Amino acid sequence: MTTMCALQVRALSEDLGGLALVDLPMPVASAGEALVRIEAAALGFPDLLMTKGRYQARPPLPFVPGMEGAGVVVEAGEGCQFKPGDEVIVGGLTGGVAQYGCFASGAMMPKPASLDMGQAASLRAAYLTAWVALVRRGMAQPGETLLVHGAAGGVGLAAVDLGKALGLRVIAAASSDEKRAAIQQLYAPDHVIDSAPGFRDRVLAITEGRGADLVYDPVGGDVFDESTRCIAFDGRLLVIGFAGGRIPQIGVNIALIKGFSVVGVRAGEYGRRFPERGAENLAQVQRLASDGRIRPHVHARYALADWKQAFAGMESRSVIGRSVILPHG
């Protein structure tokens, strides 16, 4: 083969009009890299934002979207720790939604045998974010109460799953009956509540007025604002992102008076700043998955030709967990 099929962002647009399937030259692995046949590419909200130019990282055009995937090593460059035939999970800023890709050894990890390719593709980014947020930045302790906003989304659902595995008392907040029912069926959190305005009262009732020790917030906006009113003293409000659109602001007197911390979470940057801890984080996520203690949920699987449907699901906020594109499907 001399070419492969890939999805390419050729121009930034609000309606996905700048994306198209194209034939690209087959990539060749350099030293320290592996050529991977990508069997599944998981889509996250940042992938959608990048097609619009609204993500904090803006790769140069044209680029192949897809921050995470899973597949089989076809060819290994000199010095690569993986060999042909190895099943791996790959990660990076771009490159996932293609039939093949070259990835550095440090951007790859062995695929847990307990997960199929779609589940494996959905593991790395979401669960690494949850791990860094809860364990590294949030210093969660068994028995503490965790409130997860956007609990049906990819990073939210991972936090619910991981929170239960860590022995936390999990309150999952989601916007519809369908999403709340799915969360309950998938991971059985201790409580599932409506995320509509007024969730403060529901959280305080559940915690007998104390509030949540940890708040995991990928939404921002009004959700962040109301979360400051139902967080416990010595609590940690974990800022994951701003899927709601508005970047909130807070007066430091509120944090002072109520005695809580606002903690920024950037899982990828954490690993880059602290490489040894970054490797430990990935190893812990892989171990939990291998042991069956965490399991990503795949909402739907799409052929590469149906990529528009996969992106439309993210746009409509109807995806529970992750949608996956099968480049060879």
Side-chain angles (χ1 to χ4, degrees):
M1 293 178 61
T2 58
T3 63
M4 65 163 187
C5 188
L7 180 64
Q8 190 177 68
V9 180
R10 298 187 290 185
L12 303 177
S13 64
E14 288 295 320
D15 62 357
L16 304 176
L19 282 72
L21 291 179
V22 298
D23 288 328
L24 297 176
M26 178 67 72
V28 178
S30 301
E33 292 183 338
L35 174 64
V36 176
R37 175 186 161 102
I38 301 172
E39 302 294 342
L43 296 179
F45 201 65
D47 295 308
L48 178 64
L49 293 179
M50 264 191 273
T51 70
K52 305 171 185 288
R54 293 202 269 121
Y55 191 57
Q56 60 252 34
R58 297 187 64 171
L61 295 169
F63 66 89
V64 173
M67 299 177 71
E68 53 185 338
V72 181
V73 174
V74 174
E75 179 184 299
E78 183 180 355
C80 180
Q81 67 187 46
F82 296 93
K83 64 184 186 302
D86 286 348
E87 295 185 335
V88 294
I89 294 172
V90 299
L93 183 63
T94 60
V97 189
Q99 291 181 321
Y100 293 86
C102 286
F103 301 91
S105 289
M108 302 163 59
M109 58 190 286
K111 182 185 84 67
S114 59
L115 305 181
D116 66 27
M117 285 293 182
Q119 293 168 323
S122 306
L123 176 70
R124 182 178 175 125
Y127 281 83
L128 184 61
T129 297
W131 178 271
V132 172
L134 299 182
V135 177
R136 293 293 193 179
R137 302 289 284 141
M139 297 177 289
Q141 300 299 314
E144 288 190 311
T145 298
L146 165 67
L147 170 62
V148 179
H149 291 299
V155 294
L157 201 59
V160 172
D161 190 15
L162 180 61
K164 292 296 294 182
L166 294 174
L168 303 177
R169 183 190 188 195
V170 179
I171 304 171
S175 61
S176 70
D177 290 340
E178 178 185 7
K179 290 179 178 180
R180 290 190 289 272
I183 294 166
Q184 185 65 54
Q185 181 178 8
L186 287 167
Y187 299 123
D190 300 273
H191 302 273
V192 181
I193 65 171
D194 191 341
S195 60
F199 65 79
R200 163 189 179 270
D201 295 331
R202 294 183 280 278
V203 173
L204 291 176
I206 291 169
T207 59
E208 298 179 338
R210 184 175 183 277
D213 300 292
L214 299 115
V215 178
Y216 186 93
D217 180 19
V219 180
D222 295 344
V223 165
F224 177 95
D225 295 342
E226 191 168 343
S227 293
T228 66
R229 302 173 62 203
C230 61
I231 189 168
F233 193 90
D234 203 29
R236 287 82 79 202
L237 206 170
L238 305 167
V239 179
I240 312 300
F242 313 105
R246 178 174 68 84
I247 298 176
Q249 296 182 340
I250 181 173
V252 293
N253 62 311
I254 298 174
L256 171 66
I257 293 169
K258 299 200 67 177
F260 67 86
S261 303
V262 177
V263 183
V265 179
R266 292 185 63 197
E269 186 64 19
Y270 187 94
R272 287 185 287 273
R273 297 289 182 116
F274 309 109
E276 289 187 5
R277 289 184 229 169
E280 291 171 3
N281 295 339
L282 287 172
Q284 291 287 359
V285 168
Q286 183 189 34
R287 180 183 60 81
L288 288 168
S290 297
D291 292 346
R293 295 179 60 194
I294 57 175
R295 182 174 294 273
H297 174 65
V298 177
H299 176 84
R301 300 168 196 249
Y302 298 91
L304 185 55
D306 298 324
W307 64 269
K308 285 185 179 179
Q309 293 175 245
F311 276 84
M314 289 194 296
E315 189 81 74
S316 66
R317 310 294 178 97
S318 61
V319 176
I320 296 171
R322 285 280 199 246
S323 287
V324 167
I325 291 178
L326 308 176
H328 299 273

